[in-house]
Amino acid sequence: MIERYTLPEMGEIWTDAYKFQTWLQVEIAVCEAQAELGHIPQAAVDEIKAKAKFDVDRILEIEAEVRHDVIAFLTNVNEYVGAAGRYIHLGMTSSDVLDTALALQMVASTDILLARLEDTIQAIRYQAQKHRYTVTIGRSHGIHAEPITFGFKLAGWLAEMLRNRDRLVRVRQTIAVGKISGAVGTYANIEPRAEAIACQKLGLTPDTASTQVISRDIHAEFAQVLALLGASMERFAVEIRNLQRTDVLEVEEFFSKGQKGSSAMPHKRNPIRSERLTGMARILRGNAIAALENVALWHERDISHSSVERVCMPDSCIITHFMLVETTNLIKNLLIYPENMARNLNCYGGVVFSQGVLLALVGKGLNREEAYAIVQSNAMSVWNTADGDFRKVISNDPRVTAHLTPAEIEHCFDPTQHFKHLDEIYQRLSI
């Protein structure tokens, strides 16, 4: 991922230095397992652990000649270890190192993502509580529907992010899988006990039945979980973008001192963070498709997945991390305008309370079709009219006043009746 969207906390995990360090962890864990089983001398393992190092530039230099990254790595490590290096990689194949080390990187990335996701959850929870009773208009098809609260909207976001957290916790267990089973996965030159011991040392579970690689459905699931998390953040971002439109302006991204919105128009305050989140979610979905394409490898393995994963796996983790940090800051610093929400809610004299009038008339004995026709005719008379006042025309319609008293009509326009079960929803979320 380009530096612009790479934050140090996550970026470090996907550096060459970190990658080679995980390779070395895997190789040493296998050596320790082999020694415990009596296959190699413990003294050799001690020497390996004492001397094993690597130099990133030297590895890349060797790889330029041998055209094989694992061989280049092993060559460089053995330059430091010396004679005891003959016990490194004994009975193993390259994918034993690559796939097991990749699992370590994925798990480390997931732990960071879970921590940053918790930050996002807490930011949403705070705003949901703060705006529990901030009345705004609910919209369907982009059209005013009925009153909700802004906190209720955020409660839906919270519920979604809690599901994302559950998915991420589950997939962390799925991806924490290693394989030390040798070429084509038959343990012909290394025994399953060595794999079990090595994986335990690394905090991984041995793959149930690997080929020469760990099956890529595991990695595809991980990519899809990240894409789902990104899609949720995109949903929030799109909502903010819509609510920030000048003709709506119910919320707005924080606009910092010295910030500029347009090179040509000095008045502009654009939702750039939300737009950036929207674009990044598209990358995550694209990477999820690429990961799905990696599942169908030839026979026991080919390396068509390798070039894809070198790009999409670090990029997906880095982008998701960036998005979580960005979403947290966006929500924490979101500018919220209750007065504009009230203005929009009361557009056309409370026409959004039409269902309340409909139900009140039905409750007085009118059949639904007749009541609907009365209410709709009044609603349409004020729709898109500068001075339209639904409450006024309802109150002056004899077809309505013949059945409803002024107090009953007033009750139809009380927004609080829409929130009588709000506490139940909040209790489900422990808000």
Side-chain angles (χ1 to χ4, degrees):
M1 177 49 57
I2 62 174
E3 290 185 9
R4 184 181 184 91
Y5 303 131
T6 303
L7 301 178
E9 182 183 36
M10 181 65 76
E12 179 188 359
I13 291 175
W14 298 98
T15 60
D16 281 343
Y18 192 100
K19 177 182 71 174
F20 292 138
Q21 186 60 47
T22 59
W23 290 11
L24 190 57
Q25 280 181 258
V26 173
E27 293 285 4
I28 289 175
V30 175
C31 286
E32 290 175 330
Q34 295 278 49
E36 287 184 30
L37 295 171
H39 299 317
I40 66 175
Q42 181 61 49
V45 177
D46 294 339
E47 185 176 356
I48 290 168
K49 291 169 68 175
K51 294 182 177 180
K53 293 192 297 185
F54 60 85
D55 179 87
V56 174
D57 291 337
R58 176 60 178 150
I59 293 171
L60 297 178
E61 179 187 351
I62 298 169
E63 185 183 357
E65 177 184 350
V66 301
R67 310 296 292 177
H68 194 293
D69 53 357
V70 175
I71 292 175
F73 167 77
L74 293 170
T75 300
N76 178 233
V77 170
N78 280 311
E79 287 174 342
Y80 291 99
V81 173
R86 68 182 183 275
Y87 296 113
I88 298 175
H89 207 69
L90 198 65
M92 297 170 64
T93 190
S94 296
S95 293
D96 291 334
V97 180
L98 295 173
D99 283 6
T100 306
L102 178 58
L104 295 175
Q105 288 179 287
M106 291 162 64
V107 167
S109 296
T110 302
D111 288 341
I112 291 175
L113 293 178
L114 282 167
R116 299 292 74 78
L117 176 54
E118 196 61 39
D119 295 340
T120 307
I121 287 170
Q122 293 309 315
I124 297 172
R125 187 183 295 277
Y126 172 79
Q127 293 285 29
Q129 178 60 41
K130 183 178 179 180
H131 293 281
R132 186 178 189 134
Y133 299 114
T134 301
V135 182
T136 188
I137 185 63
R139 296 171 171 89
S140 61
H141 302 275
I143 309 301
H144 285 198
E146 291 192 336
I148 60 172
T149 72
F150 190 67
F152 171 75
K153 187 191 294 284
L154 291 166
W157 297 8
L158 177 59
E160 189 164 340
M161 290 309 256
L162 292 175
R163 291 192 294 273
N164 279 309
R165 183 177 66 184
D166 290 343
R167 293 185 191 106
L168 204 53
V169 168
R170 288 196 298 269
V171 85
R172 186 195 185 282
Q173 182 176 357
T174 300
I175 62 177
V177 171
K179 65 89 61 181
I180 310 293
S181 53
V184 302
T186 59
Y187 302 98
N189 299 296
I190 192 167
E191 59 177 299
R193 287 190 299 166
E195 178 185 63
I197 295 169
C199 283
Q200 184 181 34
K201 291 177 181 295
L202 296 168
L204 304 175
T205 301
D207 193 8
T208 306
S210 63
T211 62
Q212 191 159 328
V213 297
I214 294 172
S215 297
R216 257 45 199 177
D217 64 293
I218 289 174
H219 304 74
E221 182 178 353
F222 179 62
Q224 289 177 83
V225 167
L226 298 188
L228 266 172
L229 176 53
S232 293
M233 290 186 278
E234 180 187 19
R235 181 169 87 88
F236 310 156
V238 168
E239 182 71 12
I240 291 169
R241 288 167 59 195
N242 272 310
L243 295 179
Q244 185 167 335
R245 286 170 21 230
T246 307
D247 51 334
V248 178
L249 201 56
E250 293 179 357
V251 306
E252 190 175 27
E253 290 185 7
F254 178 74
F255 198 80
S256 60
K257 184 178 180 179
Q259 184 175 338
K260 304 292 190 294
S262 167
S263 63
M265 297 168 284
H267 71 277
K268 294 296 290 296
R269 289 163 64 115
N270 301 323
I272 57 171
R273 296 171 184 85
S274 299
E275 290 171 337
R276 182 161 53 223
L277 289 169
T278 299
M280 288 180 159
R282 296 169 184 166
I283 298 173
L284 290 178
R285 286 194 290 276
N287 287 349
I289 292 172
L292 285 168
E293 297 285 350
N294 276 350
V295 174
L297 302 180
W298 282 21
H299 306 299
E300 279 56 60
R301 68 83 77 127
D302 61 52
I303 63 165
S304 61
H305 65 287
S306 176
S307 55
V308 180
E309 288 173 357
R310 289 175 192 266
V311 176
C312 78
M313 199 59 69
D315 280 8
S316 288
C317 292
I318 290 169
I319 288 174
T320 305
H321 178 250
F322 184 96
M323 290 179 71
L324 284 168
V325 173
E326 188 88 324
T327 300
T328 300
N329 291 332
L330 178 59
I331 292 172
K332 284 175 67 174
N333 298 302
L334 191 65
L335 302 176
I336 299 167
Y337 303 128
E339 65 279 8
N340 290 350
M341 294 177 181
R343 177 200 67 203
N344 293 337
L345 175 72
N346 293 311
C347 185
Y348 307 135
V351 72
V352 296
F353 296 97
S354 66
Q355 183 176 195
V357 181
L358 167 65
L359 295 177
L361 290 172
V362 171
K364 291 292 185 176
L366 274 71
N367 67 58
R368 184 177 178 84
E369 288 73 19
E370 181 184 1
Y372 194 102
I374 293 170
V375 177
Q376 186 182 42
S377 65
N378 281 289
M380 294 303 102
S381 72
V382 303
W383 190 261
N384 198 29
T385 303
D387 58 351
D389 191 333
F390 179 68
R391 185 186 306 208
K392 181 178 179 180
V393 297
I394 281 290
S395 299
N396 292 329
D397 188 333
R399 297 173 298 175
V400 176
T401 58
H403 302 282
L404 300 176
T405 67
E408 289 171 331
I409 292 174
E410 182 69 21
H411 179 70
C412 294
F413 290 84
D414 178 9
T416 62
Q417 63 184 309
H418 292 269
F419 314 136
K420 57 190 174 185
H421 297 298
L422 186 60
D423 288 348
E424 294 179 41
I425 298 169
Y426 270 59
Q427 286 168 9
R428 295 173 192 167
L429 293 164
S430 301
I431 301 177

